[in-house]
Amino acid sequence: LGSAAAVLPALAGATLTTSNNTVTTTSDKTYKVSEIYDASNFFQGFTHFTDPDPTQGFVEFVDQPTAENLGLSGIRDGAIHMSVDAVTPNPPNGRRSVRLESQKTFDNGLFVADIAHMPSNTCGVWPAFWTVGPNWPFVGKFSLYRTGLILSLV
């Protein structure tokens, strides 16, 4: 992770200024920075999801030690790295991959992500940055970024 930003739709089109861990918009709304996740603390703030895919995708989500050993998650060149196993031919349980969930929950906020690279929208690829509500997958998903689709409410 490390050049697109995603914000809540109420702020779309607003000009943002930052100073001393606050963000002010042209609509005079001010937000205090409550959490910063970067290479120094990112994996301490998230848990590797290892349950079967709730959307029934052909994927095997792996735990943090497995992901690190396979080179699927970790810190590379000072940046957060997450990826999918692209070398194992015909994996029986689906491609090994990483899905993270934050340990902290949020009721509202302004979320900004600086993403240096995200795979293209190709067959079998679904990179995403999204939030879920307490009754997901039935209701409460908010996609901030999903393979070229920006800001959709489901």
Side-chain angles (χ1 to χ4, degrees):
L1 299 179
S3 28
V7 299
L8 296 177
L11 299 172
T15 301
L16 304 177
T17 58
T18 61
S19 174
N20 299 327
N21 286 334
T22 63
V23 176
T24 305
T25 70
T26 52
S27 60
D28 292 327
K29 293 188 187 288
T30 300
Y31 296 85
K32 285 273 189 203
V33 174
S34 65
E35 300 293 326
I36 296 176
Y37 298 105
D38 59 24
S40 71
N41 67 352
F42 185 82
F43 290 105
Q44 289 79 33
F46 291 82
T47 302
H48 282 66
F49 177 91
T50 57
D51 290 342
D53 184 13
T55 65
Q56 288 79 48
F58 191 57
V59 62
E60 179 185 352
F61 294 118
V62 297
D63 61 21
Q64 187 169 359
T66 302
E68 288 174 353
N69 287 336
L70 295 172
L72 305 182
S73 73
I75 305 301
R76 278 194 197 164
D77 300 322
I80 300 157
H81 171 81
M82 294 182 288
S83 65
V84 63
D85 176 5
V87 296
T88 304
N90 303 312
N93 299 319
R95 294 245 175 248
R96 288 178 280 188
S97 187
V98 176
R99 174 178 167 168
L100 301 182
E101 294 183 345
S102 66
Q103 294 175 13
K104 184 172 180 175
T105 59
F106 302 89
D107 291 329
N108 58 56
L110 168 68
F111 302 92
V112 178
D114 184 9
I115 301 170
H117 171 74
M118 189 172 282
S120 64
N121 185 13
T122 58
C123 182
V125 177
W126 196 309
F129 174 50
W130 43 275
T131 65
V132 295
N135 197 24
W136 185 82
F138 304 105
V139 80
K141 179 179 165 201
F142 186 80
S143 295
L144 300 168
Y145 181 89
R146 181 178 66 204
T147 56
L149 176 64
I150 299 175
L151 299 174
S152 73
L153 184 59
V154 179

